[in-house]
Amino acid sequence: ATPAAAAPTPLPIPEAHVKVSGVSVLSELSKPPILRQVSLSVAPGQALGVVGKSGSGKSTLARTLVGLIPPAIGEVRLGGATLDQYDPDTLGQHIGYLPQSVRLLSGTVAENIARMDIDFDAAAVVDAAKRANAHDMILALPMGYDTYLDGEHNILSGGQRQRIALARALFGDPVLLVLDEPNSALDSEGGDALNRTVKDFKDGGKAVIVMTHRPLAISQCETLVILHNGAVLDTGPRDDVLGRQFKNANKISKVIRPKSSPQPAAE
């Protein structure tokens, strides 16, 4: 009896400008919000780092930014339009998402990068892998791009999975890249490759948002947001925010440090 909702009017490819205004996300009515009045913005050619401890709301914010969780209050805009103004499939083409827990599906490496599209463009798959700095790694696999991955039961290390998932996020030439703890399983070589990917993405006039608690992951970020208990604790240029956090940490340590520490007993 209820007619189907009309499909959103198709919009042009948005510019890589993200604006989050007063976003709150609720879990259960009996619990405090997971996110509380979060506001931030990132412009084309920039990277924003969202830093916070486990449980601060980083992953929830990432899922909200890509349209997986609708905010209870506030809004997220990409290129001036709220996310619900885009068709979900179209929105998925504009936003590349690397979740904290990487999951690969049963299929070849190429099919996983192509998001299991049965009629994928092989050149686009290779291009995404190259931009993720994963091309040489994939070529070293037993069958290269045609190596079959049996879902989660495969021959790949955690770092290899993460780099293939990054290539999947880059597939289709999105304008926004949302990375949730992107270097959690990477070695130093993989971390360097990730930073090159972020730099190249910015150089193309696109935007990156990185959720992390690892300092190396924010080396390409011009701006930082400190998230604490679901709310923005501090925000601003990266070096300014880090300086304030370091200064505050020193103040706290001076307060809690005893004036004279007892000498350890001799063994």
Side-chain angles (χ1 to χ4, degrees), residues 172-190:
D173 200 25
V175 300
L176 170 65
L177 199 56
V178 178
L179 309 175
D180 191 0
E181 298 289 0
N183 61 348
S184 59
L186 298 179
D187 56 17
S188 59
E189 179 184 351

Side-chain angles (χ1 to χ4, degrees), residues 3-265:
T9 300
L11 298 175
I13 296 175
E15 68 170 2
H17 189 280
V18 181
K19 186 173 183 180
V20 178
S21 303
V23 163
S24 294
V25 172
L26 307 178
S27 54
E28 300 174 7
L29 294 179
S30 59
K31 295 183 178 180
I34 303 174
L35 296 178
R36 296 179 289 126
Q37 293 292 307
V38 172
S39 296
L40 57 86
S41 65
V42 58
Q46 293 184 344
L48 168 74
V50 180
V51 181
K53 296 180 180 179
S54 297
S56 60
K58 299 190 303 295
S59 292
T60 297
L61 178 58
R63 291 193 288 269
T64 303
L65 287 167
V66 301
L68 295 178
I69 298 178
I73 302 172
E75 62 182 17
V76 179
R77 291 182 177 268
L78 174 62
T82 55
L83 299 186
D84 57 7
Q85 293 183 48
Y86 297 97
D87 177 82
D89 290 338
T90 303
L91 184 65
Q93 295 172 6
H94 298 327
I95 302 177
Y97 175 42
L98 176 61
Q100 183 174 359
S101 298
V102 171
R103 299 189 65 181
L104 300 178
L105 302 176
S106 296
T108 66
V109 170
E111 289 169 341
N112 269 274
I113 293 175
R115 306 178 185 181
M116 304 310 288
D117 185 346
I118 60 174
D119 191 25
F120 64 85
D121 181 355
V125 167
V126 173
D127 177 66
K130 286 182 176 180
R131 288 190 289 133
N133 290 285
H135 177 66
D136 292 338
M137 180 207 75
I138 294 171
L139 293 181
L141 297 175
M143 295 290 292
Y145 285 88
D146 297 320
T147 300
Y148 185 81
L149 306 177
D150 187 12
E152 294 301 291
H153 305 285
N154 56 60
I155 62 174
L156 302 178
S157 68
Q160 288 174 320
R161 293 185 189 193
Q162 208 156 28
R163 292 172 73 174
I164 288 175
L166 178 58
R168 178 171 61 191
L170 291 166
F171 180 77
D173 200 25
V175 300
L176 170 65
L177 199 56
V178 178
L179 309 175
D180 191 0
E181 298 289 0
N183 61 348
S184 59
L186 298 179
D187 56 17
S188 59
E189 179 184 351
D192 291 341
L194 172 66
N195 286 329
R196 290 197 302 271
T197 296
V198 172
K199 182 180 184 303
D200 291 344
F201 201 78
K202 293 193 305 176
D203 289 345
K206 300 174 182 181
V208 185
I209 300 178
V210 184
M211 316 289 168
T212 188
H213 65 278
R214 295 171 178 256
L216 290 178
I218 61 172
S219 62
Q220 290 294 326
C221 297
E222 294 85 4
T223 308
L224 285 188
V225 166
I226 305 295
L227 204 60
H228 180 68
N229 290 336
V232 175
L233 182 65
D234 195 2
T235 186
R238 181 191 62 200
D239 293 342
D240 292 350
V241 172
L242 291 177
R244 287 194 293 268
Q245 293 301 308
F246 181 75
K247 184 177 180 180
N248 290 337
N250 282 344
K251 285 182 179 179
I252 293 173
S253 66
K254 290 178 181 178
V255 171
I256 65 175
R257 186 187 300 123
K259 293 182 180 179
S260 61
S261 300
Q263 295 297 321

